[in-house]
Amino acid sequence: YIPVANASGASLFVAVGTPASVATARAQQILLSNVASLGLAAVLAFVAIWFGGARLVLQPLMTLLEATRRLRAGDLSARTGLEDGPSEVQHLASVFDDMVVSLQQRETALMTASEAVEQQNQRLKVLHSIDRAIIRGQFPGDIAKVAVEFVQQQVLAHQASLTLFDF
């Protein structure tokens, strides 16, 4: 407002103004545009994180979990198939695969050793039978029979014979 003076000494005041809605209309329009842009950016970021997370984290974790379940069930051929990479999940999957290879090698070695022990055990049983026959003073024919059975078992023959010579 501005005071206006006249000759009689009376004061006159003039007030000029702009409504607040008119004065702030452009600012509100810019604010609304910025909020809408920020909201759209947030939605796009959320969608990117959702699908990126599923592809980069969730999918490899599910693959690792499935391989772990197969291993727990006794499947030593279980592998993740994931390549070693920069992510912790890829590194974990690679270490898991290496561990399963090591377990499979140990299992194979254990089975081989177990079979060798079983073969030795069978041989010792037969030799023990022969020793008992000798100690009892059994006839040479009885001892020979035990020896022939041993040979049949060792070479998987259906028939075997032994000839005794008396010198």
Side-chain angles (χ1 to χ4, degrees):
Y1 77 95
I2 297 177
V4 178
N6 64 9
S8 66
S11 295
L12 171 71
F13 292 95
V14 176
V16 178
T18 305
S21 62
V22 173
T24 60
R26 178 71 180 137
Q28 285 185 352
Q29 188 179 30
I30 292 171
L31 177 65
L32 186 61
S33 173
N34 287 343
V35 168
S37 296
L38 190 60
L40 179 62
V43 167
L44 290 176
F46 179 75
V47 168
I49 290 171
W50 182 268
F51 287 111
R55 184 182 176 292
L56 297 175
V57 177
L58 190 58
Q59 183 181 14
L61 278 176
M62 294 306 288
T63 301
L64 181 60
L65 182 62
E66 180 58 30
T68 304
R69 285 183 180 143
R70 288 178 49 207
L71 179 63
R72 181 182 66 199
D75 182 4
L76 291 178
S77 67
R79 303 289 188 280
T80 63
L82 299 173
E83 295 181 15
D84 195 4
S87 79
E88 290 83 2
V89 175
Q90 288 173 313
H91 183 67
L92 180 63
S94 178
V95 170
F96 174 85
D97 287 346
D98 292 345
M99 178 192 68
V100 175
V101 167
S102 178
L103 285 174
Q104 193 172 30
Q105 290 170 346
R106 287 181 185 177
E107 179 72 15
T108 301
L110 181 63
M111 294 301 287
T112 301
S114 178
E115 289 171 2
V117 166
E118 182 60 32
Q119 286 178 348
Q120 288 297 331
N121 191 25
Q122 289 299 323
R123 289 178 185 143
L124 288 173
K125 284 181 182 178
V126 171
L127 291 175
H128 180 67
S129 296
I130 293 171
D131 285 346
R132 282 192 320 197
I134 291 171
I135 290 172
R136 286 188 199 141
Q138 291 181 331
F139 296 109
D142 294 336
I143 297 170
K145 181 180 176 185
V146 172
V148 167
E149 289 173 359
F150 171 71
V151 170
Q152 280 180 310
Q153 289 176 357
Q154 293 304 308
V155 296
L156 302 174
H158 295 290
Q159 273 188 313
S161 64
L162 179 70
T163 305
L164 297 175
F165 295 100
D166 190 14
F167 294 106

